[in-house]
Structures are given as structure tokens and as C-alpha cells.
Amino acid sequence: MTDILKLEHVSKSYDGSGKVLRDVSLHFQEGEFVVIIGPSGAGKSTLIRCINQLIRPTEGTVLFNGCDLTKLKGRALRRQQAEIGMVFQNYNLIGRTSVLKNVLFGRLGQMSALDSLFGRYSQEDIRQAMALLKKVGLEDQMFKRADTLSGGQQQRVGIARAILQRPRLLLADEPIASLDPNSAEVVMDTLQQLSRDLGIACIVNLHQVDFARRYASRIIGLQTGQIVFDGTPEALTDEITARIYKGREEQMKLNGAGTQENVYA
Ligand SMILES: Nc1ncnc2c1ncn2[C@@H]1O[C@H](COP(=O)(O)OP(=O)(O)OP(=O)(O)O)[C@@H](O)[C@H]1O
Ligand SMILES: [Mg+2]
């Protein structure tokens, strides 16, 4: 398997204050489904955003497609970012616009300025957007306003939009934090299925340890900006989980669709 993304000695401090990411080195392979867990403030969002350069790391390199993204700017950076899809906690849809158009927005980064200004999508893009909506179970919702959909449905629109971008890597920051356990399960199923079918590496931040165990091929535990666990779901024992969340046990949110009761309560 080829490494698609390599972080080497990445650190981040905001405004020169203390480091919120400390010497993080990680390699990711094609098609991996990685879940990052850790208490609030551990640096999960910072890590995700340092990957696609929404936040610039203070130190270290982020190698994607063989390029160090931390050295790129302008058009060269945007070209690489176009191959990194992003799924957000609050979906980031345009509510008054149709579901189909929201998905098509995924193509904007790769279109000419004029085509994107006038929304001139190719027939192929429209065909693919429709096929993706079918795949995520929303073919009946295509022409509805996005804000008339449920949270779980809106998140699936967000995922379809990110996939239409044809990414090699998909980042998701707390994609199920605003959803009830049933909708969360459908959204995680959708992410996992698409990642598998299309061979796209996925890096997902989650608070729900039970969901992490259930869906991840690999789990990374982050604590005060440092990697404290990196392994398979099977290797993440209850003791290690308790250590990662020490003093913050209430944040593990073991109330989702997991197979076990909250053993830490
Ligand atoms: N823009 C910013 N400016 C200054 N400090 C920040 C900024 N963004 C985050 N931080 C700080 O960096 C640390 C890590 O924050 P981050 O949002 O990455 O954590 P997180 O693990 O995603 O937490 P949560 O689970 O609550 O989303 C926190 O101490 C936070 O206060
Ligand atoms: Mg966060």
C-alpha cells in the first residue's frame, strides 16, 4: 500500500502561545479509515486543519501527493487542496439551494473561473452528482431545498459534495456530533462505504469512542497535542481509552450505537 499522506514533526502554536500540537508524525495509506479520538482541546480539529492547510503548522512538513503542502500557496496549494475533501460538523450547505446544486458545488474548485461563476456544470458532473445522491439514499430529495432535509440527510449531502470533488483524501471534523445515534450510524455507514468503494483515505474526528471502535480500521488517540495511541480498534483497550480521557470521562459519549454499555460510568 502506498502512503498518501505523511506528517513529519508537525507542531502548532496559535499566536506564539503554548503548542497545541507537539511533534506529530503520522503516515496514512490509501483507503485507510482512521478515526482520531481525544478529549476536548486535545488538538483534533487543529490536526485535521493542519493537514489541508486551513491552519498553517508552525513547524514540520505535510507531504501529500509528494508535495510539501506547508511550502505551497496560491494556485499550487489550491490544486492540491482540491484533492482533499472536507466534511463539517454543521454540514456547511447553502440552505436555500437545492440538494443537487449543493452537491455540484463540490466541482467548483476544479472548474474555470467563468464556468464556476455561471454554474456551468458538465453533463458528466450532473450525472455523477445524481448517481452519488442515489448512492447515499437521497435520490428522492434531489430537487428539494437543502434546509428542508433532516440533519443526517444534510450530512449525507455534505459527503456527496466532498466525494464529487474526486478527492484522494477525505477529512471529517466531528461529522456526527449534531446527530441522534440512528442518523449518526447512517452517516458513518455512508462514509465507510464510499471510502471502501472508491479507495479514498478517510480521517475522521470523533468524540464517540464506540463509533470509533466500530468503524475505524485504525484509531489515533490524541492528548494535549500528542499522539498517545495509534493502532487497531482491537488494540484500544478500555484501560488505554480511560487513560486518554483521564479526568474527562464524561466526554467519551459512549451513548451511540455501540455494542456495549458505558463501562466507564
Ligand atoms: N484559533 C485559535 N486560536 C487560539 N487557540 C486556539 C484556536 N483554535 C484552537 N485553539 C486552542 O487549541 C487547542 C486545541 O483545540 P482544538 O479545537 O484543535 O481541539 P479539539 O480536540 O478539536 O477539541 P474539541 O473536541 O472541543 O473540538 C485548545 O486549547 C484550543 O483552545
Ligand atoms: Mg474539534
Side-chain angles (χ1 to χ4, degrees), residues 96-145:
R96 62 192 149 72
T97 302
S98 76
V99 164
L100 180 60
K101 271 198 179 152
N102 268 284
V103 175
L104 283 164
F105 290 150
R107 293 300 304 151
L108 290 180
Q110 286 122 320
M111 289 161 61
S112 74
L114 270 185
D115 282 349
S116 58
L117 185 65
F118 292 106
R120 285 194 296 241
Y121 301 103
S122 69
Q123 288 300 309
E124 180 56 20
D125 286 344
I126 295 169
R127 196 193 60 72
Q128 280 188 12
M130 290 173 137
L132 267 171
L133 281 167
K134 186 170 178 194
K135 201 156 180 159
V136 302
L138 294 175
E139 62 178 327
D140 297 339
Q141 316 291 326
M142 237 178 261
F143 302 106
K144 289 192 181 160
R145 275 172 63 131

Side-chain angles (χ1 to χ4, degrees), residues 40-198:
S40 186
K44 302 182 297 296
S45 298
T46 303
L47 177 59
I48 287 263
R49 284 158 186 265
C50 277
I51 291 174
N52 63 2
Q53 306 297 303
L54 281 179
I55 291 174
R56 293 290 199 169
T58 316
E59 292 164 50
T61 57
V62 177
L63 285 164
F64 176 68
N65 279 339
C67 305
D68 180 2
L69 300 187
T70 66
K71 300 278 188 315
L72 299 182
K73 37 185 192 183
R75 188 178 295 178
L77 177 60
R78 285 196 297 276
R79 197 175 307 134
Q80 297 302 325
Q81 285 171 324
E83 293 193 25
I84 305 177
M86 183 89 174
V87 174
F88 303 88
Q89 177 179 341
N90 59 359
Y91 328 126
N92 277 15
L93 304 182
I94 311 268
R96 62 192 149 72
T97 302
S98 76
V99 164
L100 180 60
K101 271 198 179 152
N102 268 284
V103 175
L104 283 164
F105 290 150
R107 293 300 304 151
L108 290 180
Q110 286 122 320
M111 289 161 61
S112 74
L114 270 185
D115 282 349
S116 58
L117 185 65
F118 292 106
R120 285 194 296 241
Y121 301 103
S122 69
Q123 288 300 309
E124 180 56 20
D125 286 344
I126 295 169
R127 196 193 60 72
Q128 280 188 12
M130 290 173 137
L132 267 171
L133 281 167
K134 186 170 178 194
K135 201 156 180 159
V136 302
L138 294 175
E139 62 178 327
D140 297 339
Q141 316 291 326
M142 237 178 261
F143 302 106
K144 289 192 181 160
R145 275 172 63 131
D147 57 9
T148 63
L149 269 56
S150 72
Q153 290 174 323
Q154 290 195 43
Q155 190 57 293
R156 281 182 278 152
V157 176
I159 293 169
R161 177 185 56 194
I163 296 287
L164 195 72
Q165 202 179 314
R166 294 174 202 145
R168 297 189 67 201
L169 172 66
L170 195 59
L171 306 174
D173 195 357
E174 305 274 1
I176 56 170
S178 313
L179 301 176
D180 65 82
N182 290 335
S183 310
E185 197 177 334
V186 177
V187 163
M188 289 304 291
D189 284 341
T190 305
L191 266 180
Q192 190 186 48
Q193 194 67 48
L194 287 167
S195 158
R196 262 188 205 156
D197 290 356
L198 304 172

